[in-house]
mmCIF file of all heavy atoms in Angstrom:
data_model
loop_
_atom_site.group_PDB
_atom_site.id
_atom_site.type_symbol
_atom_site.label_atom_id
_atom_site.label_comp_id
_atom_site.label_asym_id
_atom_site.label_seq_id
_atom_site.Cartn_x
_atom_site.Cartn_y
_atom_site.Cartn_z
ATOM 1 N N ALA A 435 -19.934 18.264 1.758
ATOM 2 C CA ALA A 435 -20.746 18.831 2.842
ATOM 3 C C ALA A 435 -19.894 19.085 4.077
ATOM 4 O O ALA A 435 -20.004 20.137 4.724
ATOM 5 C CB ALA A 435 -21.901 17.886 3.166
ATOM 6 N N LEU A 440 -16.772 22.828 7.666
ATOM 7 C CA LEU A 440 -15.520 23.181 8.335
ATOM 8 C C LEU A 440 -15.017 24.558 7.899
ATOM 9 O O LEU A 440 -14.496 25.330 8.709
ATOM 10 C CB LEU A 440 -14.457 22.113 8.063
ATOM 11 C CG LEU A 440 -14.711 20.746 8.693
ATOM 12 C CD1 LEU A 440 -13.659 19.738 8.244
ATOM 13 C CD2 LEU A 440 -14.738 20.852 10.218
ATOM 14 N N SER A 450 -6.271 25.031 2.697
ATOM 15 C CA SER A 450 -5.934 23.864 3.513
ATOM 16 C C SER A 450 -6.224 22.579 2.760
ATOM 17 O O SER A 450 -5.409 21.650 2.730
ATOM 18 C CB SER A 450 -6.719 23.878 4.824
ATOM 19 O OG SER A 450 -6.472 25.043 5.570
ATOM 20 N N PHE A 465 3.849 6.097 -5.950
ATOM 21 C CA PHE A 465 4.984 6.360 -6.840
ATOM 22 C C PHE A 465 6.294 6.295 -6.072
ATOM 23 O O PHE A 465 7.334 5.921 -6.634
ATOM 24 C CB PHE A 465 4.820 7.724 -7.526
ATOM 25 C CG PHE A 465 4.216 8.793 -6.661
ATOM 26 C CD1 PHE A 465 4.977 9.528 -5.762
ATOM 27 C CD2 PHE A 465 2.853 9.064 -6.730
ATOM 28 C CE1 PHE A 465 4.417 10.489 -4.953
ATOM 29 C CE2 PHE A 465 2.278 10.029 -5.916
ATOM 30 C CZ PHE A 465 3.062 10.748 -5.021
ATOM 31 N N ASP A 487 16.985 -2.662 7.384
ATOM 32 C CA ASP A 487 16.724 -1.380 8.040
ATOM 33 C C ASP A 487 16.016 -0.479 7.038
ATOM 34 O O ASP A 487 16.655 0.294 6.325
ATOM 35 C CB ASP A 487 18.035 -0.738 8.515
ATOM 36 C CG ASP A 487 17.803 0.467 9.414
ATOM 37 O OD1 ASP A 487 16.736 1.099 9.296
ATOM 38 O OD2 ASP A 487 18.691 0.794 10.226
ATOM 39 N N GLU A 494 18.500 6.656 1.600
ATOM 40 C CA GLU A 494 19.543 6.716 0.583
ATOM 41 C C GLU A 494 19.019 7.300 -0.736
ATOM 42 O O GLU A 494 19.800 7.785 -1.550
ATOM 43 C CB GLU A 494 20.089 5.313 0.300
ATOM 44 C CG GLU A 494 20.770 4.628 1.463
ATOM 45 C CD GLU A 494 21.203 3.220 1.094
ATOM 46 O OE1 GLU A 494 21.372 2.961 -0.114
ATOM 47 O OE2 GLU A 494 21.372 2.385 2.008
ATOM 48 N N GLU A 499 11.032 14.951 1.241
ATOM 49 C CA GLU A 499 11.148 14.993 2.693
ATOM 50 C C GLU A 499 9.828 14.538 3.323
ATOM 51 O O GLU A 499 8.760 14.734 2.767
ATOM 52 C CB GLU A 499 11.461 16.419 3.150
ATOM 53 C CG GLU A 499 12.848 16.912 2.749
ATOM 54 C CD GLU A 499 13.142 18.289 3.317
ATOM 55 O OE1 GLU A 499 12.355 18.752 4.159
ATOM 56 O OE2 GLU A 499 14.152 18.881 2.904
ATOM 57 N N MET A 501 9.327 11.260 4.385
ATOM 58 C CA MET A 501 9.060 9.836 4.193
ATOM 59 C C MET A 501 8.862 9.115 5.522
ATOM 60 O O MET A 501 8.179 8.107 5.600
ATOM 61 C CB MET A 501 10.200 9.185 3.411
ATOM 62 C CG MET A 501 10.288 9.626 1.959
ATOM 63 S SD MET A 501 8.798 9.215 1.023
ATOM 64 C CE MET A 501 8.852 7.435 1.060
ATOM 65 N N ILE A 522 -0.035 -7.916 3.639
ATOM 66 C CA ILE A 522 -0.122 -6.861 4.641
ATOM 67 C C ILE A 522 -1.578 -6.612 5.015
ATOM 68 O O ILE A 522 -2.432 -6.435 4.137
ATOM 69 C CB ILE A 522 0.496 -5.548 4.110
ATOM 70 C CG1 ILE A 522 1.920 -5.791 3.605
ATOM 71 C CG2 ILE A 522 0.459 -4.475 5.181
ATOM 72 C CD1 ILE A 522 2.842 -6.426 4.596
ATOM 73 N N CYS A 524 -4.192 -4.893 8.517
ATOM 74 C CA CYS A 524 -4.234 -4.213 9.816
ATOM 75 C C CYS A 524 -5.492 -4.703 10.513
ATOM 76 O O CYS A 524 -6.603 -4.329 10.127
ATOM 77 C CB CYS A 524 -4.260 -2.698 9.663
ATOM 78 S SG CYS A 524 -4.439 -1.833 11.246
ATOM 79 N N TRP A 532 1.408 5.335 4.365
ATOM 80 C CA TRP A 532 0.974 6.309 3.364
ATOM 81 C C TRP A 532 2.107 6.826 2.462
ATOM 82 O O TRP A 532 1.894 6.994 1.256
ATOM 83 C CB TRP A 532 0.299 7.505 4.050
ATOM 84 C CG TRP A 532 -0.997 7.191 4.722
ATOM 85 C CD1 TRP A 532 -1.560 5.955 4.902
ATOM 86 C CD2 TRP A 532 -1.902 8.128 5.304
ATOM 87 N NE1 TRP A 532 -2.749 6.059 5.574
ATOM 88 C CE2 TRP A 532 -2.988 7.377 5.836
ATOM 89 C CE3 TRP A 532 -1.911 9.506 5.452
ATOM 90 C CZ2 TRP A 532 -4.059 7.996 6.482
ATOM 91 C CZ3 TRP A 532 -2.973 10.107 6.104
ATOM 92 C CH2 TRP A 532 -4.039 9.359 6.603
ATOM 93 N N PRO A 539 -6.976 1.692 0.373
ATOM 94 C CA PRO A 539 -8.248 1.477 -0.327
ATOM 95 C C PRO A 539 -9.347 1.126 0.657
ATOM 96 O O PRO A 539 -9.078 0.678 1.791
ATOM 97 C CB PRO A 539 -7.932 0.293 -1.256
ATOM 98 C CG PRO A 539 -6.809 -0.418 -0.585
ATOM 99 C CD PRO A 539 -5.988 0.644 0.091
ATOM 100 N N PHE A 547 -12.481 -8.141 5.347
ATOM 101 C CA PHE A 547 -11.128 -8.382 4.849
ATOM 102 C C PHE A 547 -10.149 -8.545 6.009
ATOM 103 O O PHE A 547 -9.331 -9.462 6.036
ATOM 104 C CB PHE A 547 -10.682 -7.226 3.946
ATOM 105 C CG PHE A 547 -9.220 -7.302 3.565
ATOM 106 C CD1 PHE A 547 -8.796 -8.180 2.580
ATOM 107 C CD2 PHE A 547 -8.282 -6.506 4.203
ATOM 108 C CE1 PHE A 547 -7.446 -8.269 2.235
ATOM 109 C CE2 PHE A 547 -6.940 -6.582 3.876
ATOM 110 C CZ PHE A 547 -6.517 -7.468 2.886
ATOM 111 N N VAL A 558 -8.581 -15.815 0.855
ATOM 112 C CA VAL A 558 -8.859 -14.417 0.542
ATOM 113 C C VAL A 558 -8.074 -13.977 -0.690
ATOM 114 O O VAL A 558 -8.615 -13.304 -1.579
ATOM 115 C CB VAL A 558 -8.524 -13.517 1.748
ATOM 116 C CG1 VAL A 558 -8.578 -12.046 1.348
ATOM 117 C CG2 VAL A 558 -9.505 -13.779 2.882
ATOM 118 N N ARG A 582 4.608 -0.181 10.276
ATOM 119 C CA ARG A 582 3.782 -0.185 9.069
ATOM 120 C C ARG A 582 4.550 -0.935 7.980
ATOM 121 O O ARG A 582 5.607 -0.507 7.548
ATOM 122 C CB ARG A 582 3.452 1.249 8.637
ATOM 123 C CG ARG A 582 2.484 1.935 9.590
ATOM 124 C CD ARG A 582 2.212 3.381 9.174
ATOM 125 N NE ARG A 582 1.138 3.968 9.946
ATOM 126 C CZ ARG A 582 1.289 4.540 11.147
ATOM 127 N NH1 ARG A 582 2.486 4.595 11.701
ATOM 128 N NH2 ARG A 582 0.261 5.049 11.790
ATOM 129 N N PRO A 587 7.593 -7.054 -3.919
ATOM 130 C CA PRO A 587 7.153 -8.219 -4.697
ATOM 131 C C PRO A 587 8.316 -8.808 -5.495
ATOM 132 O O PRO A 587 9.364 -8.168 -5.652
ATOM 133 C CB PRO A 587 6.077 -7.641 -5.622
ATOM 134 C CG PRO A 587 6.433 -6.191 -5.747
ATOM 135 C CD PRO A 587 7.030 -5.796 -4.432
ATOM 136 N N GLU A 598 15.201 1.158 -14.356
ATOM 137 C CA GLU A 598 14.440 1.314 -13.123
ATOM 138 C C GLU A 598 13.148 2.077 -13.376
ATOM 139 O O GLU A 598 12.106 1.763 -12.795
ATOM 140 C CB GLU A 598 15.285 2.014 -12.055
ATOM 141 C CG GLU A 598 16.375 1.141 -11.467
ATOM 142 C CD GLU A 598 17.085 1.795 -10.298
ATOM 143 O OE1 GLU A 598 16.446 2.581 -9.569
ATOM 144 O OE2 GLU A 598 18.288 1.527 -10.116
ATOM 145 N N THR A 599 13.204 3.074 -14.240
ATOM 146 C CA THR A 599 11.996 3.837 -14.561
ATOM 147 C C THR A 599 10.951 2.946 -15.214
ATOM 148 O O THR A 599 9.748 3.036 -14.906
ATOM 149 C CB THR A 599 12.328 5.012 -15.487
ATOM 150 O OG1 THR A 599 13.260 5.877 -14.831
ATOM 151 C CG2 THR A 599 11.074 5.810 -15.833
ATOM 152 N N LEU A 604 5.586 -1.287 -13.486
ATOM 153 C CA LEU A 604 5.036 -2.620 -13.229
ATOM 154 C C LEU A 604 4.584 -2.787 -11.785
ATOM 155 O O LEU A 604 3.999 -3.807 -11.434
ATOM 156 C CB LEU A 604 6.092 -3.687 -13.545
ATOM 157 C CG LEU A 604 6.784 -3.609 -14.909
ATOM 158 C CD1 LEU A 604 7.789 -4.746 -15.038
ATOM 159 C CD2 LEU A 604 5.764 -3.653 -16.040
ATOM 160 N N LYS A 617 3.605 -8.100 -12.799
ATOM 161 C CA LYS A 617 3.649 -8.802 -14.082
ATOM 162 C C LYS A 617 4.381 -7.975 -15.114
ATOM 163 O O LYS A 617 4.306 -6.736 -15.089
ATOM 164 C CB LYS A 617 2.228 -9.119 -14.569
ATOM 165 C CG LYS A 617 1.451 -10.042 -13.631
ATOM 166 C CD LYS A 617 0.045 -10.300 -14.149
ATOM 167 C CE LYS A 617 -0.724 -11.210 -13.199
ATOM 168 N NZ LYS A 617 -2.115 -11.458 -13.679
#
Side-chain angles (χ1 to χ4, degrees):
L440 292 175
S450 302
F465 37 83
D487 190 334
E494 297 177 23
E499 292 184 10
M501 291 299 295
I522 307 305
C524 176
W532 293 7
F547 171 78
V558 170
R582 290 178 171 85
E598 287 187 31
T599 300
L604 309 180
K617 298 179 181 179

